[in-house]
Amino acid sequence: MKYPVFIWMIPLLLIASPLVYLVGRIESRLASTGRKIRLAPYLALVPLLAAWVIYGFAIQSFSLSGATTFLFEAIRLQVDGISLLLAAIVLGLGTLVVLYSIPYMAGEPGEEKYYAMLLAMLGVMVGLGCTRDLFNLWVWFEAMAVSSYLLVAFYRNQPESLESGIKYLVQSATGSVLVLLGIGLVLSQTGTLDLAKISESAQPTPLLAAAGVLFLVGFGVKIALVPLHTWLPDAHSQAPSGISAMLSGVVIETGLIALLRILSALNNVASWGLLLAGFGALNMLFGNLVALKQTQVKRLLAYSSLSHMGYILLGFGFAIDSGLFLGAQGASFHIINHGIMKGLAFLAAGVFIYIEHHHSGKQSPLLIKDLAGTAKQYPIPALALSLAVLGLGGLPPLAGFMSKWQIFLAGFETQRTWASILVIFAALNSVLSLAYYTPLVNTLYRQTPSAPEREKIKIPAAILTPLVILSLLVIIFGLLPGLMDWLTYPAAQALVMGLAK
Amino acid sequence: MTLSPVNIILIGVFGLLGIGLYGLLTIRNLIKIVMVLQLLVKAAIIGLVLAGKVSGQIDLGQSTAATVLVADTMVAVVGLALAVQIRLRWGTLDITALSKLKG
Amino acid sequence: MVNPLILTTIFLPWLGAVAIWAIHDRNPRLQHALAVGFSLLAGLAALAILPFISSQETAVFSLTTQSASPSTWGSLTFVPDAMGVLLTVIATVIGSFAIIFSVEYMHGEAQLGRYYALILIFIGAMSGLALTGSLLFLFFFWEITALCSYALISFYNDDPKAVAGGIKALVITQLGGVGLLGGALVIAANLGSYDIPNFLANSQALSPALLAFVAFAFLIASAAKSAQVPFQTWLPDAMEAPTPVSALIHAATMVNAGIYLLFRFYPAFASVPGWKTAVVVVGLLTAFLAALMAAVAGDLKRVLAYSTVSQLGFMVYAIGVGGVFAAQFHLFSHAVFKALLFLAAGAVIHSVGTRQMDRMGGLGKEMPFVRNVFIIGALALAGIPILNGFWSKELVLESGLEGGPQWAYLFMLATAGITAFYSMRMVWMVFYGEPADPSRHVHDAKVAMRVALIPLAFGAFTTWLLAGPLSNASALSLPFHEIHAMSTLEFAIEILIAPSTWITVSIVAIGLLIYLLRGKLTWLSSRLAWLKFAAQNSFGFEKINQFIVAVIQRSASLLRKTQTGQLNWNLAALVGCLVIILMIVIWSV
């Protein structure tokens, strides 16, 4: 049986993961005998580059034949617009993070585990995007969660890192259990786990509604819906910077895509769109308000992720409720943009942590006031952080503006009053967010640093390259937003057409 | 509410869920929390088997239950590994002490 | 032919910004030179558009890349009509003067690359805002100007007042921007296109309720951008910016964007019940209160800031009473004389080292050139005959008498008098009287500053002569506005024979006299002490601002407490959320 080209990315990444680990262990054995080589991190790039090639073929075949469904044994898999979108952000941000981590994580104990887990997480997320089976979705989701637990708690010598890891684990596992209960309910009511068949036979019964709620809350922990978000500020700020970028940029969005796949199958059970939009509004307000009070840079960025999930939820909420594509298209575009901007922000902040680590060997949290005057010595990371943060605030000509515009337009196009009110609310929130983004930029460009100036260290090219690439993307997507239409439109189409009638 | 086997097991599932959720809210020892999580997962597993029985898809129910059994063992392993590290760095397994990160 | 010129006015400055950023701060002379060069070229390009003013819309390119997906982005279109080209010319030409002035003003300052790059990006964005025919791009360029304004106000990042001023300006203008966003989205969602001429032609296609929403939303956006009541608090604090920035952005160009918005969409909104009255009230309140605040301010730039707000109030009032051409004309005059005043003030501040007027005094002897140009600007502001301010202000008041309520006219008249009062006060406190510090060393403006100031002073005498051509061009290229074209001579005669003109002139004279005779009028000033107190405290608007900020900060601190760090609490929140959502959903099924 011929499988679509796309699928081959998954075994490629999943098999590469233990191989990289093996190479890493061999290296450490050799190192103890005096021969030091460091091959494993570079090796981790190889499967990713190969995956890009496969992705190219996959896009070609998609534009020729559209979405393809097939059965793998009893499990239905489907490669459609959403799979392509997810694979794009996973591969994109993943490659850049691996590149960035090569100098960043150099010398850390257990380095090979980092790359192995990262590759596994990437492979599993690609897999999540192309499944149409309810339980299979849970399996990929759980695998993604487990690989991320270890990545979050990577710095096991730091107590705070372990604390954030265990809290993340317990809350995420609880969410998983709720999802399982929901799966059980759906199985008992419809007798099938195939999402396509479920969407045909779903009726608005209380039990299926309860299942939907269990899915919402269960996946909601991963998506960081308020009040299920409490693990997020800790996890995103304690993880290594590359992982923070991945978590904020890709992992929480993957959770949302998983939820959307399921809710669209249960679409006629309850008005999920309204519920998602409501959570979106709550996320936006909560994230923005608490971010105002943050003094640590990475924690501020974590709360900002909460509020950006709010915009994405709003967009999808509009689409599910009204059946119009534009909301889903805007939200998909915002997933891409947020991944780019938040990834850039975390990576740029990571540069300053790298510098501090280089000078003093300590891993203390980066405070906003530590950024004062750094633009003089390190202009590129400072400019990158400024672009990322101003883009997150929704200012043109940067990317964030265009995707927010699309979501807002979608809200008005639904012609519903509650949608219009939420759009105005979201726009006001965008303004509020500027109040905590702009002090960051101002602090960077001060002339008097907060601490006495130290000698300038050379930032490795492997760290600067992802910063430059992402900065350029932020500007390009802000000026030419139509560039991503080929990806966002099929994704929106796949979601909205897949809604159960 | 007849006392058919299905209903008894259903009550059992709810009972386990109740104990589990209560435990999550009140227990302070980290190892016990991991155990409670496992309890919840077992409740979900029984639920899956039950769902298979009720809907006539016995094979589906049991195969998913078996998969979950394996998958959540991994979660338990990771959780316990973290617990070991926490005991090493923090010196305690009391989760109320693990509150350095707030605000 | 027009398109390349339009694109030049936008993208040439942007190119310049990148170039200046790229050469780094190691070569300041090259940075100065490049900045001046790029801005002058942009100014020439803008002037070259003048012969091509028309209502013809041209599309540059479409942002849709794939024909299969319906595009939300529309096309980047331009309409080179009279108002747009006027604003572009003002932005680029006065922009060049401000940059030439900066060569001397910012001599030796650090981070010049950032400074010039931001000013150039601003100039390009302003041109784009004025010339575009797409609502999306109007908002796009509008926001870019706000970004540049914020960055330039907080240019001196180490000064907390500057940073606070910048953030405040950004937040307040962005809040207003939500109005523009909402209105633009409603239009796009209901009419299916971003096209502005299309909207003006079909505005009746929107339901009355929606049209009213758009009209008032746009009014809020203009009021915030042009620092009208109740949003005026950001402009005085924006005076922390380097003075050339204040001259360009906060006097001549960005604050005019609000007026531009009202002007552009006037034909569509004039029929909305209550809209014109609201506009009149906003303009009136602003003009009057700001004039009072200018009369008691002690910081030279603050006086000019309040004066700008007040004069913008005149323009808003003019639109409200239907005198759209009067507003356009006054915008033109004001841009010239206010930029002149700001730059001259900049020369004074740069020389003396302080912005407080009571630490100046008697500078006229030591800085004769600056004194002369400043007085020209002040006379134009006060509305003394022959200068451009006189003609445009008279036209505004005349339209007010014809088209608006009488009580409003009386207030505006009084405001004209107060304007004369504070203009005189400004001139006297800075250039006459006894020096506050006799041992100071001040020098007059040098070459770069003079090169910038002389054309503006010349303009203050002569730009009114362009009234005829301006009205012709407007009548030709703005088909929806129904502007009545007249030659300059006809305008002049009309103004000179109108009785309202001479009433105004006498009020202005009274205003001047009151200041000169203030020593003998102490009984009046003690009676008005309550007014002075209120004006110094900005009539309570600052208090409102601070209240709102305090509420937000308090709620943020409260919410922060929910992140307790206790795992049990987190899980309790999870379970609680589950229970609540279960109840909501099952109850609704």
Side-chain angles (χ1 to χ4, degrees), chain C residues 94 97 333 335-341 343-344 369-380 386-389 449-464:
Chain C
I94 297 189
F97 292 149
S333 309
V336 172
F337 69 68
K338 198 42 74 60
L340 173 65
L341 279 170
L343 289 181
F369 176 80
V370 176
R371 177 199 65 199
N372 293 339
V373 295
F374 193 91
I375 289 181
I376 294 175
L379 292 176
I386 297 298
L387 292 149
N388 63 359
M449 289 190 183
R450 292 191 192 215
V451 168
L453 287 167
I454 291 177
L456 286 170
F458 178 71
F461 273 110
T462 56
T463 59
W464 63 276

Side-chain angles (χ1 to χ4, degrees), chain C residues 143-219:
Chain C
E143 299 275 283
I144 296 182
T145 60
L147 171 62
C148 296
S149 159
Y150 143 74
L152 285 166
I153 294 173
S154 56
F155 180 72
Y156 298 120
N157 279 306
D158 299 85
D159 180 357
K161 276 195 298 167
V163 174
I167 297 180
K168 181 175 181 178
L170 186 64
V171 171
I172 294 184
T173 52
Q174 291 289 74
L175 276 177
V178 173
L180 180 56
L181 178 68
L185 288 173
V186 167
I187 295 174
N190 285 286
L191 292 180
S193 138
Y194 293 121
D195 203 54
I196 297 180
N198 179 44
F199 170 63
L200 290 176
N202 301 322
S203 62
Q204 300 310 316
L206 282 180
S207 74
L210 281 178
L211 189 61
F213 172 78
V214 177
F216 283 98
F218 276 23
L219 178 59

Side-chain angles (χ1 to χ4, degrees), chain A residues 167 171 204 230 286 289 293 326 383 395-396 401-402 405-406 408-409 412 415 438 442 445-448 482, chain C residues 21 65 72-73 111 136 139-140 143 150 154 157-158 174 181 185 194 553 556-557 562-563 565 570 589:
Chain A
K167 284 185 188 162
Q171 292 184 302
T230 39
F286 188 89
L289 282 178
K293 289 289 184 189
L326 193 60
L383 184 61
L395 291 173
F401 169 75
M402 287 299 183
W405 175 275
Q406 220 175 1
F408 294 164
L409 183 60
F412 276 105
Q415 307 283 4
T438 46
N442 285 110
Y445 286 98
R446 285 212 187 144
Q447 293 188 39
T448 49
Chain C
W21 174 78
T65 47
T72 30
W73 315 115
Q111 297 184 337
L136 168 60
F139 190 67
F140 179 82
E143 299 275 283
Y150 143 74
S154 56
N157 279 306
D158 299 85
Q174 291 289 74
L181 178 68
L185 288 173
Y194 293 121
Q553 295 281 16
S557 300
T562 59
Q563 189 79 7
N570 297 350
V589 164

Side-chain angles (χ1 to χ4, degrees), chain C residues 189-447:
Chain C
N190 285 286
L191 292 180
S193 138
Y194 293 121
D195 203 54
I196 297 180
N198 179 44
F199 170 63
L200 290 176
N202 301 322
S203 62
Q204 300 310 316
L206 282 180
S207 74
L210 281 178
L211 189 61
F213 172 78
V214 177
F216 283 98
F218 276 23
L219 178 59
I220 292 178
S222 320
K225 197 75 161 182
S226 297
Q228 302 294 291
V229 159
F231 301 108
Q232 83 283 13
T233 47
W234 68 267
L235 194 57
D237 289 352
M239 294 298 119
E240 300 296 328
T243 309
V245 168
S246 304
L248 177 62
I249 299 185
H250 302 125
T253 44
M254 191 181 86
V255 291
N256 288 329
I259 310 292
Y260 171 80
L261 192 69
L262 288 174
F263 179 93
R264 206 84 162 76
F265 291 93
Y266 175 82
F269 300 148
S271 52
V272 173
W275 187 77
K276 284 176 76 170
T277 321
V279 175
V280 166
V281 169
V282 166
L284 184 115
L285 266 181
T286 310
F288 188 65
L289 293 178
L292 285 174
M293 291 195 263
V296 301
D299 175 331
L300 177 57
K301 282 180 80 172
R302 277 203 158 215
V303 174
L304 290 174
Y306 285 125
S307 161
T308 305
V309 172
S310 176
Q311 293 301 302
L312 289 167
F314 269 91
M315 293 177 225
V316 172
Y317 167 78
I319 294 182
V321 298
V324 286
F325 177 72
Q328 195 183 12
F329 190 34
H330 195 55
L331 189 149
F332 188 25
S333 309
H334 175 258
V336 172
F337 69 68
K338 198 42 74 60
L340 173 65
L341 279 170
F342 263 110
L343 289 181
V348 169
I349 295 169
H350 189 248
S351 186
V352 182
T354 175
R355 299 196 327 235
Q356 299 302 320
M357 291 196 290
D358 53 12
R359 315 249 333 236
M360 299 182 192
L363 286 171
K365 293 194 210 68
E366 291 151 284
M367 305 178 73
F369 176 80
V370 176
R371 177 199 65 199
N372 293 339
V373 295
F374 193 91
I375 289 181
I376 294 175
L379 292 176
L381 173 59
I384 304 297
I386 297 298
L387 292 149
N388 63 359
F390 164 72
W391 301 102
S392 54
K393 198 178 293 188
E394 293 311 326
L395 204 56
V396 167
L397 288 169
E398 218 183 280
S399 329
L401 196 55
E402 283 173 32
Q406 299 282 44
W407 53 270
Y409 174 74
L410 288 173
F411 263 105
M412 297 309 281
L413 203 56
T415 310
I418 304 175
T419 309
F421 176 84
Y422 70 69
S423 310
M424 190 72 214
R425 174 174 180 262
M426 220 179 13
V427 170
W428 190 272
M429 283 182 79
V430 175
F431 294 106
Y432 294 97
E434 290 305 312
D437 178 14
S439 62
R440 70 185 174 215
H441 280 294
V442 295
H443 57 87
D444 207 350
K446 299 207 193 74
V447 179

Side-chain angles (χ1 to χ4, degrees), chain A residues 47-133:
Chain A
L48 283 171
L49 293 173
W52 276 111
V53 174
I54 298 180
Y55 187 69
F57 283 121
I59 296 178
Q60 226 179 8
S61 101
F62 180 78
S63 53
L64 285 174
S65 45
T68 43
T69 326
F70 57 100
L71 282 174
F72 183 81
E73 306 300 323
I75 303 173
R76 175 181 296 274
L77 299 174
Q78 179 175 340
V79 177
D80 60 9
I82 295 183
S83 329
L84 288 177
L85 177 71
L86 194 53
I89 50 172
V90 165
L91 285 180
L93 206 53
T95 323
L96 291 172
V97 166
V98 169
L99 184 60
Y100 178 92
S101 303
I102 294 178
Y104 190 85
M105 302 297 288
E108 294 286 342
E111 199 189 337
E112 65 277 351
K113 295 198 218 14
Y114 177 90
Y115 293 103
M117 294 265 71
L118 188 51
L119 281 175
M121 193 168 80
L122 295 175
V124 159
M125 285 196 280
V126 173
L128 194 152
C130 50
T131 180
R132 291 286 280 165
D133 180 284

